């Protein structure tokens, strides 16, 4: 088990299924717990950035499309839901007097020299001003071929861009399990505690995406691969734990990805 205290610049990715209920409602008790933990990290002089999913999921509360929306419908859901998402974060961080800033990125923005430089500068200025950056994909302008699609990859690219030393992925699962069947029951003996290299065997252990998010374990492993190549550790744990970030160093079930 690793200690969160040994990291300084931390990106925290929160999945759609963690922060949104099935009917597109905000899961306020979870947001309260996560924002309390982030306030604690900031108090301990950590630099923190959030990558928050949930725009499409929260858009479903008021806009009713089919169960499997088209790309254009998902983009419309995101355009509406992004406002709900940021209002929810704003409400929760207000309790700790933490101002927030929104950054929406496309995959191209993280690759192109000028836009990635601008994004990096925006993050630095926000951090210097004590304002918490909250990043999401710019869903409404990204086309299908160039979409991240899920925020695991976006979070890994952001971690690389800003030179983070830790990416925390708050998911609905406790971590990586050697058998897909053990994910639901969270069988301890099947849990992988630490991964030092992404091998074909590790990729094989990854399961499928959840209904609300698009990523699943496979994209988390891809994200871990990017992190490991860039001297950034990554940890996957359940965002549904009480105090999910603080308990990583104590007792939470989690999978760490760290280079030896
Ligand atoms: N940008 C998408 C959203 O906010 C991410 C979806 C996902 O991570 O699966 O809804």
């Amino acid at each position: 088990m690793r200690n969160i205290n040994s990291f300084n610049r931390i990106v925290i990715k929160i999945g759609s299924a963690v922060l949104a209920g099935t009917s597109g409602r905000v899961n306020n008790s979870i947001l309260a717990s996560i924002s309390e933990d982030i306030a604690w990290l900031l108090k301990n002089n950590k630099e923190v950035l959030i990558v928050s999913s949930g725009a499409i999921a929260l858009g479903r509360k008021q806009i009713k499309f089919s169960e499997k929306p088209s790309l254009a419908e998902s983009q419309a859901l995101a355009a509406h839901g992004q406002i709900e998402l940021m209002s929810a974060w704003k409400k929760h961080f207000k309790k700790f007097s933490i101002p927030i800033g929104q950054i929406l990125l496309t995959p191209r923005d993280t690759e192109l020299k000028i836009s990635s430089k601008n994004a990096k500068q925006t993050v630095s200025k926000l951090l210097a001003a004590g304002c918490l950056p909250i990043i999401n994909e710019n869903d409404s302008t990204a086309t299908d071929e160039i979409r991240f699609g899920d925020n695991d990859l976006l979070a890994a690219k952001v971690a690389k861009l800003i030179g983070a030393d830790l990416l925390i992925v708050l998911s609905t699962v406790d971590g990586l399990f050697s058998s897909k069947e053990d994910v639901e029951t969270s069988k301890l003996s099947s849990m992988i505690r630490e991964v030092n290299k992404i091998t074909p065997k590790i990729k094989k252990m990854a399961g499928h995406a959840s209904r609300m998010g698009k990523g699943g374990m496979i994209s988390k492993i891809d994200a871990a691969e990017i992190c490991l190549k860039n001297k950034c550790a990554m940890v996957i744990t359940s965002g549904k734990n009480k105090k999910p970030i603080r308990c990583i160093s104590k007792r939470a079930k989690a999978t760490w990805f760290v280079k030896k």
Side-chain angles (χ1 to χ4, degrees), residues 3-67:
N3 195 332
I4 297 284
N5 276 325
S6 55
F7 299 93
N8 292 310
R9 187 168 267 205
I10 304 172
V11 176
I12 299 165
K13 187 259 169 177
I14 300 132
S16 302
V18 172
L19 57 78
T22 40
S23 56
R25 281 175 200 282
V26 176
N27 213 331
N28 277 305
S29 59
I30 290 182
L31 259 67
S33 195
I34 294 174
S35 49
E36 196 185 329
D37 269 8
I38 291 175
W40 172 80
L41 284 174
L42 294 173
K43 235 185 181 159
N44 284 283
N45 299 320
K46 307 293 176 194
E47 287 183 316
V48 179
L49 277 91
I50 294 182
V51 172
S52 178
S53 301
I56 297 171
L58 296 181
R60 287 173 184 270
K61 190 179 156 199
Q62 282 192 38
I63 301 179
K64 305 292 171 204
F65 288 136
S66 58
E67 182 64 15

Side-chain angles (χ1 to χ4, degrees), residues 137-168:
E137 178 164 8
N138 195 348
D139 291 305
S140 301
T141 63
T143 60
D144 220 1
E145 305 80 65
I146 58 146
R147 282 187 79 208
F148 285 112
D150 72 77
N151 278 350
D152 297 320
L153 284 181
L154 172 63
K157 295 252 172 107
V158 166
K160 177 182 168 187
L161 185 74
I162 57 128
D165 53 3
L166 177 64
L167 167 60
I168 300 175

Side-chain angles (χ1 to χ4, degrees), residues 100-103 121-134:
I100 60 170
Q102 171 188 267
I103 304 177
Q121 276 176 186
T122 306
V123 167
S124 307
K125 292 290 176 198
L126 285 171
L127 292 176
C131 194
L132 177 66
I134 304 186

Side-chain angles (χ1 to χ4, degrees), residues 16 29 60 94 116 120 156 161 193 199 216:
S16 302
S29 59
R60 287 173 184 270
K94 200 170 173 214
S116 63
K120 213 171 147 179
L161 185 74
R193 299 279 179 183
T199 59

Side-chain angles (χ1 to χ4, degrees), residues 8-240:
N8 292 310
R9 187 168 267 205
I10 304 172
V11 176
I12 299 165
K13 187 259 169 177
I14 300 132
S16 302
V18 172
L19 57 78
T22 40
S23 56
R25 281 175 200 282
V26 176
N27 213 331
N28 277 305
S29 59
I30 290 182
L31 259 67
S33 195
I34 294 174
S35 49
E36 196 185 329
D37 269 8
I38 291 175
W40 172 80
L41 284 174
L42 294 173
K43 235 185 181 159
N44 284 283
N45 299 320
K46 307 293 176 194
E47 287 183 316
V48 179
L49 277 91
I50 294 182
V51 172
S52 178
S53 301
I56 297 171
L58 296 181
R60 287 173 184 270
K61 190 179 156 199
Q62 282 192 38
I63 301 179
K64 305 292 171 204
F65 288 136
S66 58
E67 182 64 15
K68 278 197 175 157
S70 64
L71 173 65
E73 286 173 341
S74 297
Q75 291 175 316
L77 287 169
H80 172 68
Q82 180 66 22
I83 301 171
E84 300 296 311
L85 182 63
M86 293 309 283
S87 307
W89 282 124
K90 188 175 174 192
K91 182 179 97 182
H92 284 281
F93 282 113
K94 200 170 173 214
K95 286 182 215 152
F96 305 98
S97 304
I98 299 169
I100 60 170
Q102 171 188 267
I103 304 177
L104 297 176
L105 296 174
T106 59
R108 203 170 283 165
D109 293 329
T110 62
E111 309 286 336
L112 291 179
K113 217 171 160 186
I114 295 183
S115 45
S116 63
K117 187 176 152 225
N118 286 344
K120 213 171 147 179
Q121 276 176 186
T122 306
V123 167
S124 307
K125 292 290 176 198
L126 285 171
L127 292 176
C131 194
L132 177 66
I134 304 186
I135 301 170
N136 196 358
E137 178 164 8
N138 195 348
D139 291 305
S140 301
T141 63
T143 60
D144 220 1
E145 305 80 65
I146 58 146
R147 282 187 79 208
F148 285 112
D150 72 77
N151 278 350
D152 297 320
L153 284 181
L154 172 63
K157 295 252 172 107
V158 166
K160 177 182 168 187
L161 185 74
I162 57 128
D165 53 3
L166 177 64
L167 167 60
I168 300 175
V169 177
L170 294 179
S171 177
T172 49
V173 295
D174 287 315
L176 177 67
F177 291 83
S178 56
S179 153
K180 275 181 245 172
E181 287 70 45
D182 295 333
V183 177
E184 290 299 319
T185 54
S186 193
K187 196 173 163 194
L188 214 56
S189 58
S190 164
M191 179 156 216
I192 310 291
R193 299 279 179 183
E194 191 170 306
V195 175
N196 306 121
K197 198 175 172 211
I198 307 300
T199 59
K201 197 175 158 200
I202 292 291
K203 286 194 175 172
K204 231 179 144 186
M205 290 174 189
H208 298 286
S210 79
R211 210 169 62 83
M212 256 187 293
K214 279 197 143 190
M217 191 52 75
I218 294 172
S219 72
K220 289 174 183 50
I221 301 296
D222 290 341
E225 204 159 23
I226 297 174
C227 287
L228 291 182
K229 271 190 198 143
N230 291 287
K231 296 193 182 106
C232 177
M234 183 177 125
V235 59
I236 304 173
T237 192
S238 173
K240 295 190 167 183

